[in-house]
Amino acid sequence: MNLSKHFKLEEFTRSQTAKRNNIDNSPDEASLYNLKRLATELEKVREILKKPITITSGYRCLDLNRKLGSKDSSSHVVGCAADFVVSGYTVKEVVQIIKDSYIRPDQAIAEYDEWIHFSISKHSGEEPREMYLTIDKSGTREFSIA
């Protein structure tokens, strides 16, 4: 199923952990609606980067999210977040480009210099917080390209 021009549902629901643990990671209707909103925003990111985006973690049903040790309040659980990488760009470059663009995420986080966490507001029409952060072994702090 296509969520947008370049993104398929399978990209957002694929999980080796779910497969290994026989967890059904299918989204409900509300999460599917949010995944379509998320894919629309990620299309904008893809457009400004002029490169494909590889989703490394998208939708997580509550069982999968708990198995991964994430909080129940995670935006991934409701289809409002995805982690991704972009070949040819560093994680910090991508977050800086998003920050400097017209795109208004709820959060764009450079995580461990390995992936970008990108989320949208949990409710359609809700203003995004536009938080730009870095998370690494030193903790969480405001994003800086340096």
Side-chain angles (χ1 to χ4, degrees):
M1 163 189 235
N2 288 335
L3 297 175
S4 66
K5 182 177 179 182
H6 295 103
F7 294 104
K8 297 183 184 310
L9 178 60
E10 302 84 59
E11 295 175 79
F12 290 85
T13 58
R14 180 181 9 204
S15 168
Q16 292 176 0
T17 301
K19 190 174 276 193
R20 278 194 305 272
N21 291 279
N22 201 29
I23 297 171
D24 179 4
N25 195 39
S26 301
D28 59 19
E29 286 301 314
S31 296
L32 184 59
Y33 173 77
N34 287 335
L35 285 167
K36 289 176 182 176
R37 291 191 310 118
L38 177 61
T40 298
E41 292 304 304
L42 288 173
E43 287 287 353
K44 295 174 186 175
V45 174
R46 188 183 196 280
E47 180 182 305
I48 62 172
L49 296 174
K50 300 189 182 342
K51 287 195 169 227
I53 289 172
T54 302
I55 305 296
T56 58
S57 182
Y59 173 75
R60 301 178 196 150
C61 68
L62 194 54
D63 286 345
L64 175 59
N65 199 61
R66 287 176 175 165
K67 190 75 170 171
L68 295 170
S70 190
K71 296 178 183 176
D72 286 1
S73 60
S74 169
S75 292
H76 288 274
V77 174
V78 292
C80 290
D83 300 335
F84 68 90
V85 295
V86 182
S87 180
Y89 285 99
T90 69
V91 167
K92 288 181 179 179
E93 286 172 334
V94 172
V95 173
Q96 187 65 54
I97 289 167
I98 293 169
K99 187 176 181 182
D100 292 342
S101 77
Y102 68 94
I103 299 167
R104 298 180 62 218
D106 192 56
Q107 293 182 319
I109 306 173
E111 294 200 39
Y112 299 95
D113 283 332
E114 293 287 330
W115 68 87
I116 299 96
H117 170 90
F118 183 94
S119 65
I120 58 172
S121 299
K122 289 185 179 177
H123 304 285
S124 183
E126 183 178 76
E127 285 295 311
R129 295 176 292 173
E130 294 188 70
M131 296 175 67
Y132 300 93
L133 303 169
T134 296
I135 296 176
D136 57 24
K137 59 185 172 191
S138 299
T140 303
R141 60 190 173 283
E142 189 173 322
F143 173 79
S144 171
I145 193 78

